[in-house]
Amino acid sequence: MDVRIVETLAMLEIGDGVLTALFPVEHYSRWEFGPWAPAMAWFKERPGLTRALGVAQTVAAVAVAASLSKTPGPAWTKS
């Protein structure tokens, strides 16, 4: 997969993770509609767990971004 696509996805995940960590109830309230509403309500009712998951999501996305190839092309090169 191209490094720019993976980096873009990592940036989206970092942003989502930070919003989840800082504003767990508000962030999930904004997405509480449609077929996934019950799942969003579950997370909204557990702000401590939701905040921890947001931190973990951010850390994982930063780790992925740090592991990417330094040049355009494949996201990861075999050593």
Side-chain angles (χ1 to χ4, degrees):
M1 185 176 286
D2 188 83
V3 69
R4 292 167 290 201
I5 293 171
V6 177
E7 186 175 44
T8 299
L9 294 173
M11 289 188 299
L12 289 170
E13 290 300 313
I14 291 166
D16 185 59
V18 169
L19 288 174
T20 298
L22 295 177
F23 313 107
V25 174
E26 297 85 345
H27 184 57
Y28 277 86
S29 293
R30 293 178 190 119
W31 293 96
E32 193 174 9
F33 66 91
W36 51 82
M40 297 298 111
W42 189 90
F43 283 106
K44 190 173 80 172
E45 294 165 3
R46 295 162 177 82
L49 173 63
T50 302
R51 184 172 277 122
L53 291 173
V55 170
Q57 176 182 0
T58 303
V59 169
V62 169
V64 167
S67 73
L68 292 174
S69 172
K70 308 295 184 235
T71 58
W76 296 278
T77 57
K78 295 182 181 183
S79 302

